[in-house]
Amino acid sequence: MRLLLLSNSTLPGEPFLQWPRPHLSGFLTAPARIAFIPYAAVTFTFDAYADAVAGPFAELGHTVESVHRSTDPVAAVDAADAVAVGGGNTFQLLRLLYKHDLLRAIRRRVREGMPYVGWSAGSNVACPTIMTTNDMPITEPPSFRALDLVPFQINPHYTDARLEGHGGETRDQRLAEFLVANPQRRVIGLREGSLLHVTDERMRLVGRPARLFRSGTDPVELAEGSDLRADLAGH
Amino acid sequence: MRLLLLSNSTLPGEPFLQWPRPHLSGFLTAPARIAFIPYAAVTFTFDAYADAVAGPFAELGHTVESVHRSTDPVAAVDAADAVAVGGGNTFQLLRLLYKHDLLRAIRRRVREGMPYVGWSAGSNVACPTIMTTNDMPITEPPSFRALDLVPFQINPHYTDARLEGHGGETRDQRLAEFLVANPQRRVIGLREGSLLHVTDERMRLVGRPARLFRSGTDPVELAEGSDLRADLAGH
């Protein structure tokens, strides 16, 4: 398996998909036909999302075919060289993956070796469930179970900042709640501008330090560049 | 119907349930036997939650019986004079309301006139769905449909603050996404230290101004003290 799982697509003030460009360049062999999954888009159209994604990938020599333009999304994934799953709302993304019967198709192709690129919600759905999303549950998927391509949970856009004087939970408190309800799981909080590069041999953290959350122990910081296979293996 | 729907239980630096005390005092006639729903507690026990809630209500002349200590939670709700639903994780709260078959029992009693007090997650579940919660989906309820006691959605802990330099969505962006997916709904963002007092005759906003979100129009500020029945009526 080969996955590039990004915390986020874009850093403040930068063009769309700029920071990950060198990593995408090394990850995908040009020219690749990329099946794009635009289903996480809520406040903009799938067409607009597909057009926005086409440019950055074209500069790297790839072509993007959005599955929403296909009459047979499963066949579109089957015919592609790689799959890219865009961010947005995780609940809508997962609901539409189920609706178009794409979970099995993507899982099978990626397990056979097709490269998978995801950012934000697109990284969340590569996990066993979407239970560590930050998104609002604006629509109801048939299940929280997701692609289960990696054995751990990602919390994208991870931050330990908090709003002054606000009583809502911090991100760490939310993830502590997740671990009480799911003590067998491990969670990696991926800060913005970070990614996980997963292959059968290793899981490399790129960009910034991340935070690892496990039941019964304090969170620990993971150094950029390190191989996390031992930290994130198992359930 | 009579509902007191609080954004939050406690302001920073204050004792538990202090700010709502005068409003609870006017809302519940002492002595009342209150059936307490502790199911939203995740990182502390239901016993600890029940004990914490008993004190503030005892000072107002009421007794609290937590449904988790009953062998028949439905009968406990049926025998009570009022119901109080505590905050915590909304997904766990709703999952356990379904598991103990309490949705129908609470809905029936409240529609018959039993006073309902909720805070945070306990206010969210009084709405048609839990789709405007801020919580992480750490566990999976059988449905997002909730008590449907009021015809609008509440976003508790509402804030328009944002973390500097962080790429995640603001609260307003999340609620805008909700309205794209659910254009027929209205949402009231209740700031901390605020509540809605709902009766058959009116819906009064108490504490601080709130923000009303509707599809196809900009959010508007609602003044403290105003009757929101016209703003929040319908679907």
Side-chain angles (χ1 to χ4, degrees):
Chain A
M1 289 207 304
R2 299 183 58 227
L3 299 94
L4 203 68
L5 302 173
L6 286 61
S7 174
N8 62 318
S9 63
T10 311
L11 293 173
E14 289 190 1
F16 181 57
L17 279 175
Q18 175 161 302
W19 79 263
R21 198 157 310 185
H23 310 293
L24 289 165
S25 173
F27 182 71
L28 295 172
T29 306
R33 284 190 306 171
I34 300 172
F36 175 62
I37 313 290
Y39 298 149
V42 176
T43 54
F44 49 100
T45 66
F46 295 162
D47 276 335
Y49 206 0
D51 291 345
V53 167
F57 281 106
E59 290 177 29
L60 297 171
H62 310 301
T63 54
V64 169
E65 295 174 20
S66 185
V67 295
H68 83 281
R69 290 173 173 152
S70 169
T71 54
D72 187 343
V74 170
V77 167
D78 278 340
D81 301 314
V83 62
V85 184
N89 185 279
T90 311
F91 293 88
Q92 178 171 290
L93 170 58
L94 187 58
R95 184 173 69 77
L96 294 178
L97 286 173
Y98 274 104
K99 180 180 174 185
H100 296 291
D101 201 24
L102 278 173
L103 285 131
R104 280 177 299 179
I106 293 172
R107 195 182 288 130
R108 180 175 45 75
R109 290 294 324 275
V110 175
R111 287 183 177 162
E112 288 170 0
M114 180 171 75
Y116 180 106
V117 175
W119 55 91
S120 192
S123 294
N124 249 151
V125 296
C127 301
T129 74
I130 60 164
M131 291 183 180
T132 51
T133 178
N134 309 304
D135 295 340
M136 192 168 270
I138 62 167
T139 190
E140 189 165 353
S143 165
F144 289 175
R145 285 192 297 276
L147 288 164
D148 196 22
L149 295 169
V150 293
F152 53 86
Q153 289 289 135
I154 290 172
N155 178 245
H157 304 279
Y158 173 73
T159 175
D160 45 16
R162 60 175 302 164
L163 291 171
E164 268 309 307
H166 187 70
E169 293 88 354
T170 63
R171 188 70 58 84
D172 283 20
Q173 287 169 328
R174 294 174 191 279
L175 294 172
E177 285 192 352
F178 170 80
L179 289 173
V180 170
N182 304 273
Q184 80 286 11
R185 292 281 182 215
R186 297 179 180 208
V187 185
I188 182 166
L190 277 184
R191 292 185 173 87
E192 300 198 332
S194 301
L195 63 85
L196 280 180
H197 184 176
V198 179
T199 66
D200 292 328
E201 289 75 38
R202 61 183 198 165
M203 297 183 187
R204 195 158 61 93
L205 173 63
V206 178
R208 298 171 64 193
R211 193 170 285 186
L212 175 66
F213 300 84
R214 286 166 296 185
S215 177
T217 180
D218 287 339
V220 295
E221 288 284 310
L222 303 171
E224 194 275 337
S226 55
D227 183 354
L228 307 182
R229 208 159 49 139
D231 297 302
L232 294 175
H235 295 274
Chain B
M1 289 206 304
R2 299 182 60 228
L3 300 94
L4 203 69
L5 303 174
L6 287 61
S7 174
N8 62 317
S9 63
T10 311
L11 294 173
E14 289 189 3
F16 181 56
L17 279 173
Q18 175 159 301
W19 79 263
R21 199 157 310 186
H23 309 293
L24 290 166
S25 174
F27 182 71
L28 295 172
T29 305
R33 283 190 305 170
I34 299 171
F36 175 61
I37 313 291
Y39 298 148
V42 176
T43 54
F44 48 100
T45 66
F46 295 164
D47 277 335
Y49 205 1
D51 291 345
V53 167
F57 281 105
E59 289 176 29
L60 298 172
H62 310 300
T63 53
V64 169
E65 295 174 20
S66 185
V67 296
H68 84 281
R69 289 172 175 153
S70 168
T71 53
D72 187 343
V74 170
V77 167
D78 278 340
D81 301 314
V83 62
V85 185
N89 185 280
T90 311
F91 292 89
Q92 179 172 288
L93 169 59
L94 187 60
R95 185 173 69 77
L96 294 178
L97 285 174
Y98 274 104
K99 180 179 174 185
H100 297 290
D101 201 23
L102 278 172
L103 285 131
R104 280 178 299 179
I106 294 173
R107 196 182 288 131
R108 180 174 45 75
R109 289 295 322 276
V110 175
R111 287 183 177 162
E112 289 170 358
M114 180 170 76
Y116 179 105
V117 175
W119 55 91
S120 191
S123 293
N124 250 151
V125 296
C127 301
T129 74
I130 60 164
M131 290 183 183
T132 50
T133 178
N134 310 304
D135 295 341
M136 193 169 269
I138 61 167
T139 189
E140 189 165 353
S143 166
F144 289 173
R145 286 192 296 275
L147 288 165
D148 196 22
L149 296 169
V150 293
F152 52 86
Q153 290 289 135
I154 291 171
N155 178 245
H157 304 280
Y158 173 73
T159 176
D160 45 15
R162 60 173 303 163
L163 292 170
E164 269 308 306
H166 187 70
E169 293 88 354
T170 64
R171 190 69 59 84
D172 283 19
Q173 287 170 328
R174 295 175 190 279
L175 294 172
E177 286 192 350
F178 170 80
L179 288 173
V180 170
N182 304 274
Q184 80 286 11
R185 294 278 183 217
R186 295 178 182 211
V187 185
I188 182 167
L190 277 184
R191 292 186 172 88
E192 301 198 332
S194 301
L195 62 85
L196 280 180
H197 183 176
V198 178
T199 66
D200 291 327
E201 289 75 37
R202 61 182 197 166
M203 297 183 187
R204 195 159 62 91
L205 173 64
V206 178
R208 299 171 63 193
R211 193 170 286 188
L212 175 66
F213 300 85
R214 286 167 296 185
S215 177
T217 179
D218 287 339
V220 295
E221 287 285 308
L222 303 170
E224 195 275 337
S226 55
D227 183 354
L228 307 183
R229 209 159 47 138
D231 297 303
L232 294 174
H235 294 275

